[in-house]
Amino acid sequence: MSLYLDHLATLQQQAERALARCGHDALVIAAGIEKYAFLDDRPYLFQPNPHFKHWLPLTNHPHSWIAVRPGRRPRVVYYQPHDYWHVPPEAPSGEWVAAVELVVIREPEQAAAALADVVTPHTAILGEADAALPGLVPNNPERLLNLLHWARGIKTPYELAQMRAAQRRAVPGHLAARAAFLGGESEAGIHRAYLRATGHTDRDLPYTNIIGLNEHAAVLHYQYQDERAPAEARSFLIDAGAQVNGYASDITRTWVADGHDEFAALIAAMEREQLALVDEVREGVDYRDIHLSTHRRVARVLREAGLVRMSDEAMVAEGVTKPFFPHGIGHLLGLQVHDVGGFMAGEDGGVADKPEGHRYLRLTRPLQAGMVVTIEPGLYFIPLLLDELRATPHAAQVDWAAVERLSRYGGIRIEDDVACRAGGEAPVNLTREAFAAAAA
């Protein structure tokens, strides 16, 4: 059996178990609809319901549906309009077609009739309210969603294959972006180089690329791309991914131009700590502990670089590392860049709290084999946070002259996507694996 058909069988089993536990007789999932800007006829980029693309490798199919029933093949209602204004979806093709009951519709409203024999008062319907049709009104039962979201944290072999492919698609973009930076391109030029190398357009990306030169690297989610290159391009931070069959990669690298040895040494120190953090991704490890470990490691970098004259333990205890590393160490990755279920206490729901004082951490679950997480430590020179540090009693322990010198580079983030394995085995660094293959 193929990886995809195995994946489909796993989802069927998970759905049947969840339906039985929650007292539902069927599960119906809306792909979603295309949405338009207010008072305009221009649509926003379509984002499919992740529950829909979990079952099917269809990412640009608004108005489609899937119905899951115990003991039956899934039924796919495939919207393929007769349209000469736009290119409609191609005729259904691929491995999934033979595994489902297929119904092709030409108008969105026809989905209601195509699913009329499935929907009862006990049917769970997943989707946004604006996807509703007569007799097909999403109810999104919380208990069922909890079970599905908890299970989604563990990737099937098919999903891991898609995520590996998303790494391989992103890596040439990162290499092209680095070459464009070293060649003196602007942020916008670097972004275009990335798109060309990955074969993506902006609408295909799993998230908006972060392309920051110099001080812009200190803006964690820098959202612009200057067309004009700076007079001196000293440093470059790129946070950019790719997408394959609805599965994302999420990769960050920081580069420095020749002749900037002090910042290059800081990048090398962060690279050392980032790889050590990757090695902490083990089955049963509490991800919150990896986040707290990151603060200890950032403290060591700050101390060894002479930026802060305090012990590592004191820096962490007094919160001195937080202005330099103000975000979480990472998150779950998969059908969404920040995949669901990261805060769940168990499959029935509940919340696993973040460590006190660390409100930006996006994952608080113990790691399980099959999870894919990001490991993305950072060290930044953010004026707003540095000003707050200056106002504390610890300001006297900071080498502000060195901070001022390094602020011209913005900051550092290094991010890999990492698969957790069973039995204490070393994790698989999907990102480094793809970079190594590209260099071979």
Side-chain angles (χ1 to χ4, degrees):
M1 189 177 285
S2 73
L3 289 181
Y4 173 73
L5 295 179
D6 281 344
H7 169 74
L8 204 61
T10 297
L11 296 190
Q12 182 77 26
Q13 291 168 4
Q14 291 173 350
E16 290 186 7
R17 174 177 172 270
L19 290 169
R21 286 187 59 179
C22 299
H24 297 291
D25 53 20
L27 171 64
V28 175
I29 304 170
I33 67 169
E34 201 168 41
K35 301 177 183 179
Y36 289 81
F38 181 59
L39 298 179
D40 205 337
D41 62 357
R42 185 178 64 176
Y44 295 112
L45 296 182
F46 174 67
Q47 296 293 330
N49 179 350
H51 288 278
F52 182 84
K53 63 178 181 172
H54 200 191
W55 288 79
L56 301 166
L58 305 178
T59 58
N60 198 25
H61 292 72
H63 305 295
S64 294
W65 298 74
I66 184 169
V68 181
R69 299 154 294 171
R72 304 280 296 276
R73 288 189 299 165
R75 180 182 298 173
V76 174
V77 179
Y78 188 92
Y79 176 59
Q80 188 188 30
H82 290 307
D83 189 358
Y84 54 85
W85 289 99
H86 309 94
V87 176
E90 296 179 353
S93 64
E95 198 173 9
W96 64 272
V97 175
V100 305
E101 294 177 11
L102 183 62
V103 179
V104 176
I105 60 174
R106 304 302 183 190
E107 300 292 340
E109 296 76 14
Q110 293 173 347
L115 294 170
D117 64 319
V118 174
V119 177
T120 75
H122 301 291
T123 299
I125 305 176
L126 306 186
E128 295 177 278
D130 53 14
L133 293 170
L136 281 176
V137 179
N139 51 24
N140 299 311
E142 182 179 2
R143 188 181 178 204
L144 181 75
L145 283 174
N146 284 337
L147 293 170
L148 297 178
H149 288 170
W150 179 266
R152 213 170 92 191
I154 310 303
K155 303 300 182 284
T156 65
Y158 165 80
E159 292 180 286
L160 287 172
Q162 308 316 301
M163 297 181 75
R164 276 192 161 97
Q167 302 287 327
R168 294 193 298 271
R169 189 169 188 179
V171 162
H174 278 265
L175 297 175
R178 178 178 182 270
F181 157 64
L182 295 175
E185 282 279 6
S186 67
E187 291 169 348
I190 293 169
H191 175 66
R192 286 190 286 267
Y194 181 90
L195 294 179
R196 285 193 299 270
T198 59
H200 273 317
T201 65
D202 278 295
R203 68 178 296 129
D204 303 321
L205 293 171
Y207 59 96
T208 302
N209 284 352
I210 299 169
I211 307 283
L213 293 172
N214 300 340
E215 289 89 349
H216 290 165
V219 183
L220 299 184
H221 284 173
Y222 176 62
Q223 70 271 45
Y224 303 114
Q225 293 162 4
D226 281 356
E227 285 284 357
R228 295 175 59 184
E232 180 191 25
R234 297 177 291 274
S235 59
F236 168 45
L237 186 150
I238 174 172
D239 187 335
Q243 193 163 209
V244 172
N245 289 330
Y247 289 86
S249 56
D250 181 4
I251 302 170
T252 306
R253 290 295 183 266
T254 306
W255 306 104
V256 64
D258 290 340
H260 297 271
D261 295 344
E262 185 178 20
F263 191 66
L266 206 59
I267 293 175
M270 287 298 294
E271 175 96 356
R272 175 195 70 201
E273 302 301 340
Q274 193 266 351
L275 289 171
L277 288 163
V278 166
D279 196 55
E280 295 183 24
V281 176
R282 306 286 175 132
E283 185 179 32
V285 169
D286 192 322
Y287 192 79
R288 293 172 291 194
D289 291 339
I290 299 179
H291 174 75
L292 297 175
S293 174
T294 306
H295 278 274
R296 294 190 291 271
R297 293 181 180 280
V298 168
R300 177 160 65 182
V301 173
L302 292 170
R303 175 179 52 78
E304 291 178 349
L307 292 169
V308 182
R309 296 178 293 271
M310 296 172 67
S311 70
D312 301 354
E313 295 79 7
M315 266 189 266
V316 173
E318 299 298 326
V320 175
T321 55
K322 290 181 181 179
F324 296 98
F325 174 52
H327 59 77
I329 185 54
H331 49 82
L332 288 171
L333 181 69
L335 290 162
Q336 296 167 280
V337 175
H338 298 141
D339 222 354
V340 295
F343 302 123
M344 295 179 68
E347 66 175 2
D348 292 315
V351 176
D353 291 331
K354 302 172 187 179
E356 185 176 354
H358 297 267
R359 59 179 174 152
Y360 294 116
L361 182 59
R362 294 180 182 269
L363 174 58
T364 54
R365 284 168 61 171
L367 295 175
Q368 296 170 267
M371 282 183 172
V372 177
V373 300
T374 66
I375 296 294
E376 47 183 305
L379 195 162
Y380 311 89
F381 302 93
I382 301 171
L384 172 68
L385 301 183
L386 293 174
D387 287 345
E388 293 177 357
L389 180 58
R390 285 180 188 272
T392 72
H394 309 296
Q397 306 305 317
V398 178
D399 184 342
W400 291 107
V403 168
E404 186 69 22
R405 287 195 310 273
L406 290 165
S407 292
R408 303 182 309 137
Y409 302 96
I412 300 164
R413 183 163 65 253
I414 302 168
E415 176 183 19
D416 292 337
D417 304 338
V418 183
C420 183
R421 296 205 290 176
E425 288 188 72
V428 178
N429 190 324
L430 303 177
T431 304
R432 304 280 172 155
E433 184 182 77
F435 271 105

